[in-house]
């Protein structure tokens, strides 16, 4: 890991975080839309709906993060995809735990609980993607 990768004053890190935020916002909208559709229209259990929403958004996020956020399009896609998916599954595990806790224990409404749970996993996801999945 290069010292500039961690340097808060490095403008490239802020730009990368901004691009990650844009991609994440698009994935967040896709995730919540897929979740709402699965829960309220298809009447699928919220836990399975979370898995479906994750699968919808993870492919979108991989493509955009690989080519735009981390500019890693020249590196082997298969290797990056495996790492990206591993980090995404770890982040999803955090999100899924928060979702289940909010709905099952604290009786939150499912849509807001999903929205909150996805946000809780963002820091883990960004750090994993930056320093492992798309590490140069």
């Amino acid at each position: 890991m290069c010292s500039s990768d961690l340097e808060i004053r490095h403008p490239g890190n802020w730009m990368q975080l901004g691009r990650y935020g844009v991609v994440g916002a698009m994935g967040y909208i896709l995730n919540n839309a897929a979740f709402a559709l699965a829960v309220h229209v298809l009447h699928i259990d919220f836990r399975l709906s979370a898995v479906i929403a994750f699968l919808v958004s993870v492919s979108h996020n991989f493509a955009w993060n690989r080519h735009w956020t981390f500019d890693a399009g020249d590196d082997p896609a298969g290797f990056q995809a495996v790492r990206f998916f591993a980090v995404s599954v770890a982040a999803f595990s955090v999100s899924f735990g928060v979702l289940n806790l909010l709905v099952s224990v604290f009786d939150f409404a499912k849509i807001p609980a999903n929205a909150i749970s996805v946000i809780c996993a963002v820091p883990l996801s960004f750090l994993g993607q930056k320093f492992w999945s798309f590490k140069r």
Side-chain angles (χ1 to χ4, degrees):
M1 185 177 336
C2 178
S3 65
S4 66
D5 285 343
L6 295 174
E7 190 175 326
I8 198 165
R9 292 173 291 175
H10 189 271
N13 287 335
W14 288 105
M15 294 298 295
Q16 192 174 64
L17 183 60
R19 289 189 301 270
Y20 188 82
V22 170
V23 171
M26 292 185 303
Y28 181 74
I29 291 166
L30 279 173
N31 182 292
N32 282 299
F35 182 82
L37 176 71
V39 167
H40 292 300
V41 176
L42 302 175
H43 306 290
I44 298 172
D45 179 76
F46 76 94
R47 289 170 286 261
L48 181 55
S49 296
V51 172
I52 293 166
F54 164 74
L55 292 173
V56 167
S57 62
V58 74
S59 56
H60 163 273
N61 288 356
F62 173 71
W64 278 97
N65 278 319
R66 179 173 188 262
H67 291 288
W68 188 52
T69 303
F70 298 107
D71 193 26
D74 295 336
D75 296 329
F79 186 67
Q80 290 173 341
V82 169
R83 285 183 166 200
F84 184 89
F85 192 72
V87 169
S88 296
V89 166
F92 173 70
S93 297
V94 169
S95 176
F96 188 83
V98 171
L99 173 66
N100 199 37
L101 183 71
L102 291 174
V103 172
S104 300
V105 175
F106 295 107
D107 202 32
F108 265 62
K110 293 174 182 89
I111 303 298
N114 185 66
I116 292 167
S117 72
V118 170
I119 290 170
C120 289
V122 169
L124 171 64
S125 181
F126 176 73
L127 293 173
Q129 304 308 357
K130 178 175 178 59
F131 294 115
W132 191 53
S133 301
F134 299 110
K135 181 180 177 188
R136 295 213 165 211

